[in-house]
Every structure is written in structure tokens, then in C-alpha cells.
Amino acid sequence: MQLTIRHETRYIYTAPLAYTIQQLHMTPRKEPQQQVHSWHLNVPGHVHAYTDAFGNLSHMMTLDTQHRGLDIVASGIVETTAPLKGRVPNSDALSPLLFTAPTRLTEATPGILELAASCLPDGQAQSRDLMSLAEHIFGAVRYQSGATAVTTTASDALALGQGVCQDHAHLFLACCHAHGIPARYVSGYIDPENSDHAASHAWVDAWVQDKDYHGWISIDVTHARLMTDAYCRLAIGRDYDGAAPIRGVRRGGGIESMEVTVDISTR
């Protein structure tokens, strides 16, 4: 599938800013199942490109002249293929065990431990175990846009019983980590087709030990399905904080408002 993507983020402030710094994960990863035909990042100020510790193609943007707004636009064309049974290659040198430690957003609580125990064995998991977990989370936390924030923890989303894709991903990670199963957060895009879910999306990779395969499989918990060619991967991390498309700090500006538009067309 060929995905034509345009992602615009606009920040508007009620007072002038003296300084802004933003970490950007808005460039598709180099992976066998996706080929970038063209990609352009339109960002003000000074931009430094680098590859972070997780192999994500990243940029650090700094703007130190007075401003009252900020526009960041990423656009391009990515050709994708569907990985067999959701299996994505372990193309980096990082140990999967790096993705077993809980974070502030994925700490296990009694409710999470109970959910995990209903689906997962300890230490190792097969694909069917992980898909069962995704289906349980899909049933326990109803998708509701605006119900949570980027600071919402997995346990808070479970208690609330509703959330968005990042909450589903965090809850899945928390359950896996509680049983010593490597799992990591994925940010990127999805062709929304007829869904009302946002085209900017989050899902997970989890480490399986099936009879014929040991490695990562990619699971969209929000839809309780394996990753297909409808997905473009931007970044991986231990949680949202490590893989967010845009994350930064500012000096000044008063009250901030943000508008995000993501358009995806397919061919």
C-alpha cells in the first residue's frame, strides 16, 4: 500500500515566547516493511537531525527569537507491505529485555495484575496469548476520544474504563511487563478507512516465542488486530514519553492551544 501523509501541528499562544525547544519523532523509521519514497519536515528555527538510542530518526528544534505561534509540518509518501503474521524484524542491537521495565505510565496495579493473569503466562508468551490480552483490553477500555490526556497512566485508564490508543498501548505494556514479557510502544500513522479513530496512532510490539518464531509481533490493541500494510511506523520507545511525535518545553507564551491535522490517502 502507498500512503500519502500530511501531519500539521499548530501551536498558538496568548503571549510572546522567548524560547522553544521540541524533540520531533516525525520521520518514518527505516524498516524492511516500509520504504520512504519522499519525506519533508517543515520546521522553523534551528533543526538538528540525529538517530536516538532506539534507532528512531529524530530532530531537535530550537527557536530562540520571539514568536507567538509555531507550525510544524511533516509530509511525504511511504510504501508499506503487510508483515507476515504481524512479525517485524529485530533489526537493532538492543536486547528485548530493555522493554520489560515499567515506567511512570505503565506501572502495574492490582487491577492490571488481575487483567494480566487472566491472559498471560510468566516470562514467555505465544501470539495467541498476546492477542487474547489485546481483546480483553479492547473490551475493558472503550475507545473514547478526549477521555484521557497524554499524562494518563495505564491504571487510570483501566479504572476509567475508556481511553484512546495510547491508553490501550500503555495498558498492554503494563500487563506484559508484569509477567516479564518484552513489549514496547509504537507511534505512527494508520489509514483510518471508515473508522472514527485518529489517523495519528499508537500500538505495540511484543516479544513472542511461538513454535516457529521468536521475535517481535506488532499488535494494534485499539482494534485488537495485527499490524497490516495500513500502518506507518514513526518511532518506538518504552512508552508515549519516549516515542511521542512532538514533545518539548517553552519559555513564556501564556496559555497554549494546539491544533493537529493528519491527512492520509492511499493508493
Side-chain angles (χ1 to χ4, degrees):
M1 182 180 294
Q2 186 168 287
L3 304 176
T4 300
I5 302 165
R6 188 180 189 277
H7 180 178
E8 179 177 3
T9 303
R10 171 169 292 181
Y11 293 94
I12 303 170
Y13 303 96
T14 58
L17 284 82
Y19 182 79
T20 296
I21 182 169
Q22 298 277 9
Q23 181 186 54
L24 309 178
H25 292 133
M26 300 186 71
T27 302
R29 285 175 58 87
K30 293 181 179 179
E31 296 187 347
Q33 79 283 344
Q34 60 183 35
Q35 181 179 355
V36 179
H37 290 304
S38 64
W39 197 262
H40 180 66
L41 195 59
N42 188 359
V43 183
H46 176 73
V47 180
H48 169 66
Y50 66 100
T51 301
D52 72 9
F54 298 117
N56 301 315
L57 302 176
S58 312
H59 295 81
M60 191 67 70
M61 183 218 80
T62 55
L63 185 57
D64 57 6
T65 57
Q66 191 176 87
H67 53 288
R68 297 195 62 145
L70 184 66
D71 286 328
I72 299 173
V73 180
S75 60
I77 299 173
V78 182
E79 186 170 343
T80 61
T81 57
L84 177 65
K85 299 180 181 179
R87 297 170 178 176
V88 293
N90 187 27
S91 55
D92 53 52
L94 298 175
S95 168
L97 297 178
L98 176 66
F99 300 100
T100 57
T103 68
R104 180 188 65 82
L105 294 170
T106 62
E107 290 181 355
T109 59
I112 288 175
L113 293 175
E114 182 179 353
L115 175 60
S118 68
C119 303
L120 298 177
D122 282 327
Q124 298 180 3
Q126 296 186 0
S127 294
R128 64 173 179 268
D129 302 318
L130 297 168
M131 291 307 301
S132 175
L133 175 61
E135 290 165 2
H136 275 70
I137 292 172
F138 178 80
V141 179
R142 180 174 58 89
Y143 184 92
Q144 181 61 55
S145 179
T148 55
V150 296
T151 55
T152 302
T153 66
S155 61
D156 288 342
L158 180 60
L160 185 63
Q162 55 185 353
V164 294
C165 55
Q166 70 198 28
D167 303 303
H168 294 147
H170 285 153
L171 187 51
F172 188 100
L173 300 183
C175 289
C176 287
H177 296 166
H179 283 243
I181 298 167
R184 62 193 187 187
Y185 188 99
V186 185
S187 67
Y189 304 109
I190 179 177
D191 172 21
E193 299 174 335
N194 297 322
S195 169
D196 60 355
H197 298 164
S200 183
H201 200 45
W203 62 100
V204 300
D205 292 340
W207 191 266
V208 301
Q209 299 200 36
D210 291 333
K211 291 182 178 179
D212 64 337
Y213 174 75
H214 289 189
W216 296 110
I217 64 169
S218 204
I219 302 172
D220 181 351
V221 186
T222 299
H223 297 91
R225 71 183 187 189
L226 295 171
M227 189 184 86
T228 68
D229 57 354
Y231 297 74
C232 172
R233 295 160 64 93
L234 286 178
I236 61 171
R238 295 172 65 195
D239 59 15
Y240 169 86
D241 286 345
I246 303 178
R247 191 163 181 259
V249 296
R250 60 187 169 93
R251 184 186 305 142
I255 299 172
E256 176 187 274
S257 60
M258 182 177 67
E259 300 173 357
V260 179
T261 304
V262 180
D263 295 313
I264 297 179
S265 60
T266 62
R267 192 177 72 181

